[in-house]
Amino acid sequence: MTGPDTWLLDDVWLVPMDGPPDAPLGAVRRGGLRVRGDRIAGLGALRPEAGERVIAGGGRIAMPGFVQGHAHATQTLFRGLADDLPLLDWLQQRIWPLEHAHDAASTRASARLTFAELLAGGTTTVQTMESVRHTEVTCEEALTAGLTAVIGNCLMDLADGGVPPGLPTTAAAAIATTDALRRRFHRRDGRLEIAVAPRFVLSCSDELAHAAAAYAAEHRLRVHTHAGEHPAEVAAVRARYGRDYLEVLHDQGLLGARSSLAHCVHTTERERELLVLTDSAVLHCPSTNLKLGSGIAAVATYRQLGLRVALGADGAPCNNRLSMLAELRLAALLQNLAAGPGVFGAAQALWTATRGGARALGLDHEVGSLRPGLRADVLLFDLDDAALPLVADTPAAIAGTLVYAATERQLRAVLCGGEFVLRDGELLRYDRRALRAAAAAELPAVLQRAGLAR
Ligand SMILES: [Zn+2]
């Protein structure tokens, strides 16, 4: 009788990210990490068991895989096609026409680009909002990629505000699409969840918003939406409803402990009270907020209020990277400016990128820290690099090194579900040149259909 494969990652600096709020890295120590199948079987002062396979860690940092709370796999094909525009122009002139022009093949190419890039950068868990159609393709590709994912087809039923005709559906059709995805994919392989994903207030009728909330409650699904991103969008919501953004979402039943809201850059005191009252999570996307000129979210304040916060790269056309290391660094830098140095510093940023993000997505029991029983999603960083601090021998120094100085160059290996997906800096599951070529072959027809051919 044989059980799951068991092996030992020996001689690493364990950064478990399982500590209390004031010391979130947990007990940093030199030791080993045992993997059994796709799970962490143990960590600490471990010795190889008889006949056990041992992989040398070489004194590298071993930390949990990153958890990204907000991304759009469907948009990765459009990277570089929508630069230097504010949110509503960015949507109306580029993103909505391009999303509408997707077919299944171009959606697949975009999803593959996305998941390869996420894994190469150490993101092993991601929540994404897809387009109105073809989300089943993205789900298939997430399962193939091997990461943990929360995926929702975007719900939109309003055609005003520059939305291309044919992109929105009826409210009933939007919910039916989510229902078909749920029946086929929800909890597949224990690592894919289907979420209910209204795009944002301006693209959903009250009827759709209420139906989405009821459907999510009935099936205990997560709700994933955008909120309070840009001043012009916030003003448009106020003009339409006579109330502030989160008040509208609250009245529609879309706030709650299973809800997560991308951005929340512009929130009033009353709206922050609603976030706390409903225990809704905030998904912070600092690069996007800067690139679209939206503002700086009050993440340090949200944390002080006890809110759950995750980080995300958002869509490739509004970033234009999908790098958690880039988001980490920017999140900490921006809060040093907004709230004062150290209020939301390196250790907090690292926590938000791992266990904090897992808590925001309700996945703390599966991913986000190094604990026995959790998925063996592990990053190995080599800090022996002339571009990094010469000494990183305390939790604070390790956090500072990873957040402020490290880049993907020092990320030498990524374990996803107990399997190496990146090793010695090489991506194993994907041929990135072939992915790029396949995506490039899809793009001209998409641009043609979108009316954006050059
Ligand atoms: Zn987004």
Side-chain angles (χ1 to χ4, degrees):
M1 200 172 99
T2 57
D5 182 34
T6 300
W7 56 279
L8 183 67
L9 177 64
D10 197 24
D11 188 25
V12 288
W13 279 98
L14 296 160
V15 180
M17 302 307 302
D18 65 346
D22 58 343
L25 274 64
V28 175
R29 64 227 192 253
R30 201 153 182 159
L33 183 134
R34 179 164 284 127
V35 175
R36 182 171 298 132
D38 66 350
R39 300 281 147 176
I40 296 168
L43 66 162
L46 304 177
R47 289 176 176 277
E49 292 172 357
E52 186 175 35
R53 188 159 57 98
V54 176
I55 293 177
R60 290 172 173 168
I61 295 287
M63 63 170 288
F66 293 132
V67 177
Q68 288 211 32
H70 184 65
H72 301 263
T74 190
Q75 292 177 7
T76 306
L77 198 69
F78 314 142
R79 186 192 331 248
L81 296 179
D83 290 342
D84 301 326
L85 292 167
L87 175 67
L88 295 178
D89 292 343
W90 179 86
L91 283 167
Q92 290 158 3
Q93 296 173 21
R94 307 289 166 78
I95 299 306
W96 283 335
L98 286 165
E99 284 193 9
H100 187 41
H102 255 314
D103 62 14
S106 61
T107 302
R108 192 176 301 283
S110 195
R112 285 181 180 165
L113 283 178
T114 308
F115 296 131
E117 185 178 353
L118 290 174
L119 289 172
T123 294
T124 50
T125 298
V126 66
Q127 173 169 257
T128 84
M129 179 188 292
E130 297 311 302
S131 189
V132 173
R133 298 175 184 85
H134 310 302
T135 301
E136 67 283 356
V137 170
T138 308
C139 292
E140 289 166 6
E141 290 299 326
L143 288 169
T144 303
L147 39 58
T148 299
V150 182
I151 296 176
N153 62 299
C154 125
L155 313 180
M156 49 195 300
D157 69 336
L158 293 182
D160 53 351
V163 180
L167 179 60
T169 64
T170 63
I175 300 296
T177 300
T178 302
D179 190 56
L181 291 169
R182 179 187 66 79
R183 289 171 188 275
R184 183 169 162 200
F185 292 107
H186 191 53
R187 303 206 187 284
R188 268 277 292 277
D189 295 357
R191 56 185 174 76
L192 175 57
E193 287 191 25
I194 297 301
V196 176
R199 184 158 211 142
F200 70 154
V201 163
L202 295 176
S203 61
C204 296
S205 67
D206 256 335
E207 178 198 357
L208 175 55
H210 283 287
Y215 184 82
E218 180 186 350
H219 297 285
R220 303 182 63 78
L221 300 182
R222 305 202 171 282
V223 173
H224 179 198
T225 190
H226 298 94
E229 179 174 357
H230 190 274
E233 168 212 15
V234 167
V237 170
R238 204 173 283 140
R240 182 184 292 177
Y241 285 92
R243 282 166 291 153
D244 281 323
Y245 213 111
L246 296 183
E247 293 178 298
V248 175
L249 289 178
H250 187 236
D251 292 347
Q252 291 173 334
L254 288 168
L255 300 186
R258 284 195 296 274
S259 297
S260 53
L261 314 171
H263 306 305
C264 296
V265 175
H266 302 281
T267 51
T268 63
E269 199 150 325
R270 169 64 185 150
E271 289 179 291
R272 293 175 188 187
E273 282 173 16
L274 286 174
L275 288 173
V276 172
L277 189 71
T278 59
D279 191 22
S280 303
V282 173
L283 312 172
H284 178 43
C285 306
S287 292
T288 292
N289 296 157
L290 293 186
K291 185 160 183 261
L292 301 185
S294 299
I296 302 174
V299 172
T301 303
Y302 293 152
R303 180 181 157 248
Q304 285 162 347
L305 289 170
L307 293 172
R308 293 168 297 140
V309 179
L311 294 175
D314 205 346
C318 57
N319 190 308
N320 298 356
R321 305 177 187 170
L322 302 179
S323 162
M324 187 52 118
L325 281 172
E327 299 310 310
L328 268 182
R329 176 178 150 84
L330 203 48
L333 292 176
L334 284 174
Q335 293 311 304
N336 282 349
L337 174 66
V343 177
F344 182 93
Q348 285 307 321
L350 203 60
W351 156 266
T352 306
T354 53
R355 192 170 189 188
R359 291 183 67 234
L361 300 185
L363 293 172
D364 185 33
H365 59 292
E366 278 289 307
V367 299
S369 48
L370 302 182
R371 287 181 286 154
L374 268 62
R375 268 176 69 82
D377 296 341
V378 185
L379 311 183
L380 294 180
F381 281 94
D382 185 355
L383 301 192
D384 184 12
D385 187 309
L388 298 185
L390 299 178
V391 179
D393 57 355
T394 64
I398 290 169
T401 298
L402 290 170
V403 172
Y404 293 125
T407 67
E408 270 89 12
R409 192 177 72 187
Q410 290 94 29
L411 177 59
R412 303 304 298 163
V414 176
L415 272 174
C416 183
E419 288 184 27
F420 281 98
V421 293
L422 182 92
R423 196 163 183 182
D424 300 327
E426 286 293 316
L427 191 60
L428 302 180
R429 265 184 207 167
Y430 293 97
D431 176 342
R432 277 190 272 194
R433 283 188 185 196
L435 285 186
R436 184 177 165 89
E442 295 294 334
L443 187 59
V446 175
L447 289 171
Q448 193 76 42
R449 290 194 291 271
L452 293 169
R454 299 175 178 204

